[in-house]
Amino acid sequence: MRGMTQHLTTGERVAWYRHRRGLSQDVLAGLVGRTADWLGKAENNRIELDRLSVIRALAHALDVSIGDLLGEPTLLEWSKDSGRRTLPALREALMDYRQLAPLIGTPDAGEPPTLAALRSDVGEVWDAYQDSRYGFAARQLPSLLSDALLAARSSSGDEREEANGLLAMTYQGAALVLGKLGENELAWIAADRGLAAAQLSGNKVIIGSLFRSVTHCLLSAGRFETAAQLVKDAAGYLEPGLGEPTPAYLSIYGTLFLTGAMAAARAEDRATAREFLQEAETAASRLGADANHMWTAFGPTNVAIHRVAAAGELGDVQVALDLGPQVDTRALPVERRVRHGLEVARALSAWNRTDDALAAVLEAEQLAPEQVRHHYMSRDLVLGWVRGTRGRPSRPIADLAERLRVV
């Protein structure tokens, strides 16, 4: 059904699904505690639907998923990085019953890789994720999953624990990439299996990392309150190790609270969002500087990025606009820089500073075209600008809309 709505804004998709459900504007508006006038403006792109808490309420009332209203997933373009076997190959790898039930059949995978080679390959995929090279990561992950599973089953003792840890990080890499591409159900499968492997590793840092991945999946599914509760429970599990934590341990702990802050903000729970951001800031202060332990990009700057994002989710546009441009993200991985750039663009657009917002999106696109193309925020911003222009949109907006495949 999403293919029929791929060139619609979020507001236009609300109208499309509302008609399919046979609901009037008065009825749907009442179900989400709004007025029919507000809903009419949202459906006609005179109000931007840019808060996930509002989109979730509409999705719930229409009995559809958040992804249905955001238009996810989108097609992963072929490239030199991706080749011509992209997400279907990764889907096949995750759904191969022989990987799940070795008692009734195992794939003919040959010799298991050495742990050194596996560590290198896992690191390569994670680096690609942080560089927003999703096509490359999607291409590498199917064979990497097979290798990591074989290593985990072929090893013993301490080596088996390490192999399970690497398997968990492979699954987490898959979950993150799939989440970025809008494949939320597949991302959940990968995160669930990753957490199981992490527990077999006995490594609390890796277990904490997978808790974060499961939290991301709950966020994508619109289960914001559950995600926030998971963060509280996971923090309780990790707290005993905070006496003399390694930098990696502290980074995982702090990043978990950043994810929780977004969950709380999307649930419109200001107090918990503030509490989680403060806990993350305390961990960042203990760490002392920005770092990238366990590919977390954790530190004071990432905390500042999440303050801006949380403000945006809570509807505090002026706060996001005041704080956002002040955050210097140049030392962070590309994925973090671009995500923050889109957040700033959203705040600028909300204040009708379209030229500045467009400049922010174009800058982000230069850094990471794949990430910008697949993020609902950039697609909806650009499509809204196209729809909101009387006559033809400006050439830069029209060209960007064509590159993002939203028209």
Side-chain angles (χ1 to χ4, degrees):
M1 199 178 296
R2 291 179 191 171
M4 301 175 68
T5 66
Q6 63 179 333
H7 297 314
L8 304 182
T9 65
T10 300
E12 290 166 347
R13 289 190 193 96
V14 170
W16 192 89
Y17 283 108
R18 178 175 61 77
H19 286 299
R20 288 294 299 267
R21 294 301 189 198
L23 299 176
S24 67
Q25 285 186 337
D26 283 327
V27 170
L28 179 58
L31 290 172
V32 298
R34 301 279 181 156
T35 66
D37 179 64
W38 173 87
L39 181 60
K41 289 177 179 177
E43 291 183 348
N44 289 302
N45 303 311
R46 286 180 287 161
I47 292 176
E48 292 183 1
L49 287 174
D50 57 3
R51 294 178 59 197
L52 285 175
S53 59
V54 176
I55 294 170
R56 178 181 68 162
L58 288 163
H60 180 75
L62 291 166
D63 192 28
V64 298
S65 72
I66 288 179
D68 287 322
L69 294 187
L70 296 180
E72 296 176 332
T74 57
L75 183 69
L76 179 58
E77 300 285 350
W78 285 338
S79 66
K80 290 182 179 179
D81 266 354
S82 72
R84 296 200 171 201
R85 287 283 288 160
T86 54
L87 290 182
L90 183 49
R91 181 179 292 107
E92 289 173 14
L94 287 170
M95 300 182 74
D96 185 350
Y97 75 89
R98 296 173 302 174
Q99 307 283 15
L100 298 177
L103 293 177
I104 59 173
T106 55
D108 184 13
E111 289 295 317
T114 65
L115 292 185
L118 193 57
R119 279 194 297 270
S120 175
D121 291 343
V122 170
E124 188 177 39
V125 164
W126 272 85
D127 289 344
Y129 167 76
Q130 288 199 318
D131 288 339
S132 301
R133 295 170 57 210
Y134 304 139
F136 176 84
R139 182 180 187 174
Q140 299 297 107
L141 277 163
S143 60
L144 181 55
L145 279 170
S146 179
D147 285 347
L149 278 160
L150 186 60
R153 288 173 182 163
S154 303
S155 304
S156 59
D158 291 344
E159 286 193 347
R160 186 163 196 171
E161 290 185 353
E162 182 179 357
N164 273 302
L166 291 168
L167 175 59
M169 295 303 293
T170 303
Y171 274 126
Q172 184 178 6
L176 289 172
V177 170
L178 289 164
K180 289 291 186 182
L181 299 176
E183 295 283 355
N184 298 324
E185 290 81 5
L186 286 177
W188 174 263
I189 291 172
D192 178 64
R193 293 183 192 166
L195 184 55
Q199 292 176 74
L200 291 174
S201 77
N203 187 322
K204 280 199 168 186
V205 170
I206 293 175
I207 293 171
S209 189
L210 267 296
F211 280 141
R212 175 169 61 106
S213 194
V214 173
T215 305
H216 275 298
C217 290
L218 291 170
L219 283 175
S220 298
R223 299 182 63 188
F224 306 144
E225 294 84 358
T226 305
Q229 185 59 52
L230 172 58
V231 168
K232 292 179 181 179
D233 293 341
Y237 171 81
L238 294 172
E239 277 173 3
L242 292 176
E244 296 182 6
T246 64
Y249 198 99
L250 205 53
S251 297
I252 288 296
Y253 182 80
T255 305
L256 186 64
F257 278 103
L258 293 182
T259 310
M262 297 309 301
R266 291 173 186 175
E268 300 191 276
D269 183 347
R270 291 176 178 272
T272 300
R274 191 181 308 115
E275 174 192 339
F276 282 178
L277 285 168
Q278 184 56 56
E279 192 70 28
E281 187 170 307
T282 300
S285 297
R286 290 186 68 182
L287 189 64
D290 291 329
N292 196 27
H293 302 290
M294 294 293 292
W295 297 278
T296 56
F298 184 69
T301 303
N302 209 351
V303 175
I305 285 175
H306 280 76
R307 287 194 183 281
V308 174
E313 293 294 348
L314 288 165
D316 300 331
V317 178
Q318 187 62 60
V319 174
L321 201 53
D322 289 343
L323 295 178
Q326 299 178 29
V327 182
D328 184 356
T329 63
R330 287 175 294 178
L332 296 188
V334 167
E335 184 275 332
R336 289 286 78 208
R337 295 169 62 188
V338 168
R339 180 64 182 83
H340 179 65
L342 294 181
E343 199 65 58
V344 172
R346 174 169 71 166
L348 290 166
S349 184
W351 282 91
N352 295 316
R353 292 173 57 182
T354 304
D355 289 343
D356 292 333
L358 174 61
V361 174
L362 290 173
E363 183 179 351
E365 187 194 26
Q366 278 195 320
L367 287 172
E370 288 184 66
Q371 184 176 354
V372 171
R373 180 171 187 274
H374 287 283
H375 203 286
Y376 81 90
M377 198 181 294
S378 51
R379 297 199 314 271
D380 218 47
L381 280 172
V382 174
L383 194 51
W385 297 335
V386 171
R387 294 283 198 273
T389 302
R390 293 182 178 178
R392 293 184 177 182
S394 68
R395 175 52 57 189
I397 289 177
D399 288 346
L400 178 58
E402 183 175 351
R403 291 194 300 276
L404 299 190
R405 306 288 195 273
V406 297
V407 295

